[in-house]
Amino acid sequence: MDLKQLLLKDAMIMDLKATTKEDAIEEMVDKYYQVGVIDDKELYKSDILKREAQTSTGIGDGIAMPHARDKAVKRATVLFAKSAKGIDYKSLDGQPAYLFFMIAAPDGADNLHLQALAALSSLLINPELVKNLKAAKTADEVQELFDKAMKEKEAKDKADEEKQKAKAAAAAQASDSDDKKPYVVAVTACPTGIAHTYMAEAALKEQAEKMGVDIKVETNGSEGVKHLLTADEIKRADGVIIAADKKVDMPRFDGKHLVNRPVSDGINKAEELINLAVEQKAPVFHAEGGAAQETEDTEEKKSLWSRIYADLMNGISNMLPFVVGGGILMAISFLLENSVGAHSQWFLFFNNVGNYAFSFLIPVLAAYIAVSIGDRPALLPGFVGGYMASQATASVVSSKSPAGFIGGLLAGFIAGWVVVFLKKWLKNLPKSLAGLKTILIYPVLGLLFTGAIMYFAVDPIFAVVNAAITHFLESMGTGNAVILGTLLGGMMSIDMGGPFNKAAYTFAIGTFTATQDGALMAAVMVGGMVPPLAIAIATTFWKNKFTEQERQAGLSNYILGLSFITEGAIPFAAGDPLHVIVSSVIGSAIGGGLTQLWGVNVPAPHGGIFVTPLANKPLLYLLAVVIGAVISGVIYGVWKPALKKNK
């Protein structure tokens, strides 16, 4: 694909007016909207900001490459922009950025577009091209410079390919020699897989050539995995370089000296990484310790809480489809019960299928917590441990109550760590038994030990604890109920989909499955609806404080809020966290507390305003939503600073 089709002249900004990173992003997004490359500024901008929140796309040497891939993009395009004075873009080298390449890729971008984006990204490590771009005065010059650089790169790549073939042929015929070149393999990957993946590849290959080192680089980018490393190539390599900001296939590198760094280091510290790999100064990687074991060379080791949170979120994210799917069918069954009766086949069908889905909540939660810790061998013990927690069976202590969600959480962590310890314990087994580890030894022993812990300890103890919690909730006075509803409602707005939100929602789900009482579901549902509705109200009645694009996005938040999709408020919270989050928490807490004060009960785990007919007090349920949303909306609208005048 001709790069001129990507580098549109109409989309170039040869004299960027912005003086800050935020304004630069805004100016470039506006330009994209003006020329019709995107049709939803807020969606595209929010995805740009999400990528920036991971790591700055200011890669250094005066270059920034903000990029996003979403449904707002109509065609693959690269916007070129220049700033004469430079902008503090929070670049990785701490220096101002002068050249900007904002990459827009549509959700359905074909391989041709993605290959062109990858090729363009790899050109930007050429210092001569960068120097000429800084001096370019017109859009035509920019296109011509890239066209020339692309032709030179294609010629060089072709020559390198022929050279590699000749080397391979010579190596097949020759015996080992004293002048054998060092050989390393590498993997590059970034979250979006558009730019940094290929820039790191190009930087590593160019630096390796200068150092006289043979290298093969596998890219895990938007096109999928390219130049896949073979087992023989990994075996022959002196060392391995992982320059990635997302998970890659690691077990294949077991026993190799491995450098594990962010993808930005692959671009900016290629020489350092290659030296570490060639000289085998990096630690040896061992895959037996778990699915995602870190090496000592990782710049930032995960904290214990980060690991626990990641494992927990893996369980919750896999459980949520069962909650939503089963919950909606149950909600439909309750509606049918009111019209056709409790003995109708239609009611029984929807209700039973919904209940079947709900019966898997705790087993699935436990299973995928375990998988996150101990990989696939932990699936069986985790699932069975979760099932044991969901059943009120007589173990060493007879109880009519199951261990419930608390027991399920523990089952997941127990099963995962049991498998991790089994891997360490059995790592010296004879190689003849290696094939039996994952399909027989780990699952069977993992199930045995997990089952024993659940049967003799967790189930007996937490069956009693769960029964006590259930009794407390059922006998809870109005005052305590209001406090709990206020707390849960407020938590739904603290991070709008993050750990506080998920913790509150999971607690309400656990209570609902244990007691079939939807009181706390009403509190979290109201708390989750308030933030997007508050945004919608503020953008409607305080229009002068919002841009045209924000007002348009605000309208969509009416629908998102009524549907119990709290995430609709995230783009606004990302841009103005203090005003949005504080105002949302206040309204959500009040709305959640009111549901408990008025004794509102909603026996459905999802659905927002659309499950109102199921509520025991539908008008009061709606009133709690309205009061919470209006309070938050008014606080936000009044508190938010007015828009700055155009510069």
Side-chain angles (χ1 to χ4, degrees):
M1 182 179 182
D2 189 345
L3 287 182
K4 289 181 181 178
Q5 296 180 40
L6 284 176
L7 283 160
L8 297 181
K9 290 194 289 185
D10 290 345
M12 293 188 191
I13 305 175
M14 300 305 293
D15 184 17
L16 201 63
K17 304 298 183 186
T19 57
T20 67
K21 177 177 181 175
E22 293 73 19
D23 289 345
I25 290 173
E26 184 76 37
E27 190 174 341
M28 288 187 281
V29 172
D30 280 341
K31 187 68 172 180
Y32 262 151
Y33 188 72
Q34 291 169 16
V35 298
V37 170
I38 59 174
D39 61 8
D40 187 334
K41 289 174 64 174
E42 289 306 317
L43 173 60
Y44 181 71
K45 181 181 175 182
S46 80
D47 284 339
I48 288 285
L49 294 174
K50 285 178 186 176
R51 177 62 186 87
E52 293 297 328
Q54 293 168 348
T55 54
S56 173
T57 58
I59 60 174
D61 293 328
I63 298 173
M65 297 189 69
H67 52 272
R69 182 180 184 183
D70 59 39
K71 63 183 180 181
V73 181
K74 301 290 96 182
R75 56 169 293 183
T77 309
V78 177
L79 181 155
F80 172 76
K82 285 179 58 180
S83 171
K85 296 181 179 179
I87 294 172
D88 180 6
Y89 202 82
K90 307 297 185 290
S91 297
L92 299 176
D93 62 359
Q95 299 301 309
Y98 297 89
L99 301 180
F100 300 84
F101 299 86
M102 179 172 274
I103 299 175
D107 261 349
D110 57 29
N111 280 339
L112 197 61
H113 283 96
L114 297 174
Q115 289 166 8
L117 288 171
L120 183 143
S121 300
S122 65
L123 292 176
L124 294 178
I125 66 160
N126 182 341
E128 187 66 24
L129 174 61
V130 172
K131 176 184 175 183
N132 291 334
L133 287 172
K134 288 181 178 179
K137 301 296 183 185
T138 67
D140 287 320
E141 283 183 72
V142 173
Q143 285 190 332
E144 289 169 7
L145 286 169
F146 271 104
D147 190 46
K148 179 184 176 183
M150 191 66 203
K151 289 176 180 177
E152 291 175 352
K153 183 178 184 298
E154 288 174 348
K156 184 177 182 299
D157 287 347
K158 187 174 181 181
D160 287 345
E161 186 177 348
E162 294 298 326
K163 191 185 298 183
Q164 289 296 328
K165 288 180 180 178
K167 284 182 180 179
Q173 297 176 358
S175 59
D176 290 340
S177 60
D178 293 336
D179 60 349
K180 179 186 175 184
K181 291 173 95 174
Y183 177 60
V184 299
V185 294
V187 180
T188 63
C190 70
T192 52
I194 296 173
H196 290 59
T197 299
Y198 304 104
M199 293 185 72
E201 175 199 20
L204 287 167
K205 289 168 72 174
E206 181 173 301
Q207 185 61 42
E209 184 177 3
K210 291 178 182 177
M211 297 169 64
V213 175
D214 283 337
I215 190 170
K216 180 175 180 181
V217 184
E218 173 185 304
T219 55
N220 287 201
S222 51
E223 298 179 82
V225 176
K226 295 291 184 182
H227 317 303
L228 181 68
L229 299 174
T230 66
D232 181 62
E233 288 166 340
I234 295 171
K235 182 180 179 181
R236 289 191 295 113
D238 297 305
V240 178
I241 298 170
I242 305 295
D245 289 335
K246 68 176 185 178
K247 188 176 181 180
V248 298
D249 181 14
M250 296 292 286
R252 54 188 167 152
F253 302 120
D254 185 48
K256 303 297 294 187
H257 289 274
L258 186 144
V259 186
N260 193 348
R261 295 287 187 85
V263 69
S264 57
D265 281 7
I267 301 171
N268 299 310
K269 300 180 181 179
E271 183 177 4
E272 177 187 336
L273 303 190
I274 293 171
N275 277 329
L276 286 170
V278 169
E279 297 170 12
Q280 297 189 334
K281 291 182 178 178
V284 175
F285 174 75
H286 295 291
E288 282 293 315
Q293 185 179 15
E294 304 281 337
T295 69
E296 293 176 8
D297 194 55
T298 304
E299 287 193 337
E300 292 184 9
K301 292 186 177 181
K302 291 182 179 178
S303 66
L304 178 62
W305 165 244
S306 297
R307 295 175 62 184
I308 292 173
Y309 174 66
D311 299 333
L312 180 61
M313 286 300 104
N314 192 57
I316 290 176
S317 63
N318 281 284
M319 178 192 74
L320 282 179
F322 292 81
V323 174
V324 176
I328 288 175
L329 291 187
M330 288 176 66
I332 292 173
S333 76
F334 295 142
L335 292 173
L336 290 171
E337 184 182 19
N338 293 334
S339 57
V340 299
H343 300 290
S344 164
Q345 285 299 324
W346 286 108
F347 163 74
L348 293 173
F349 167 69
F350 280 97
N351 189 261
N352 285 335
V353 173
N355 274 301
Y356 292 149
F358 255 51
S359 68
F360 285 97
L361 296 188
I362 298 176
V364 168
L365 173 71
Y368 283 94
I369 289 174
V371 167
S372 179
I373 298 168
D375 210 356
R376 189 170 296 276
L379 179 67
L380 169 65
F383 204 103
V384 175
Y387 181 76
M388 292 175 70
S390 69
Q391 302 300 304
T393 55
S395 52
V396 294
V397 174
S398 180
S399 173
K400 294 182 180 180
S401 176
F405 262 78
I406 300 175
L409 288 171
L410 289 173
F413 285 102
I414 290 168
W417 283 107
V418 161
V419 170
V420 168
F421 286 124
L422 285 173
K423 288 179 177 181
K424 291 182 177 180
W425 183 37
L426 301 173
K427 65 180 180 180
N428 294 321
L429 276 180
K431 289 188 176 180
S432 59
L433 298 177
L436 295 177
K437 285 182 180 179
T438 57
I439 63 172
L440 180 64
I441 299 175
Y442 295 153
V444 172
L445 291 181
L447 177 60
L448 176 64
F449 291 130
T450 302
I453 295 170
M454 292 299 297
Y455 187 85
F456 291 106
V458 175
D459 275 357
I461 293 171
F462 284 93
V464 176
V465 172
N466 197 43
I469 293 174
T470 301
H471 176 72
F472 169 74
L473 292 171
E474 289 175 342
S475 60
M476 188 166 51
T478 301
N480 289 333
V482 171
I483 293 172
L484 185 57
T486 300
L487 176 64
L488 293 176
M491 287 174 67
M492 293 296 291
S493 289
I494 291 175
D495 50 8
M496 303 175 189
F500 285 97
N501 176 285
K502 289 293 188 290
Y505 186 64
T506 303
F507 180 78
I509 287 289
T511 303
F512 181 51
T513 55
T515 65
Q516 296 303 305
D517 185 338
L520 297 184
M521 288 310 310
V524 298
M525 202 102 72
V526 170
M529 285 191 280
V530 164
L533 289 174
I535 296 293
I537 291 170
T539 54
T540 299
F541 293 98
W542 284 269
K543 294 182 178 180
N544 62 318
K545 293 190 174 185
F546 298 90
T547 65
E548 177 62 29
Q549 292 70 40
E550 287 173 332
R551 292 197 292 272
Q552 292 175 3
L555 291 175
S556 66
N557 271 277
Y558 279 114
I559 303 300
L560 295 173
L562 295 175
S563 304
F564 185 43
I565 301 176
T566 315
E567 287 80 358
I570 288 178
F572 288 84
D576 186 10
L578 176 65
H579 299 103
V580 173
I581 293 175
V582 172
S583 57
S584 295
V585 168
I586 293 171
S588 292
I590 292 173
L594 288 175
T595 63
Q596 305 309 293
L597 178 65
W598 295 333
V600 178
N601 188 307
V602 181
H606 210 284
I609 200 172
F610 302 104
V611 294
T612 301
L614 303 180
N616 63 332
K617 299 176 180 178
L619 293 180
L620 291 177
Y621 173 56
L622 293 176
L623 186 58
V625 174
V626 171
I627 290 174
V630 169
I631 289 174
S632 286
V634 170
I635 293 174
Y636 179 43
V638 172
W639 191 17
K640 178 179 169 61
L643 283 177
K644 295 179 180 179
K645 300 292 184 181
N646 291 331
K647 300 174 182 177

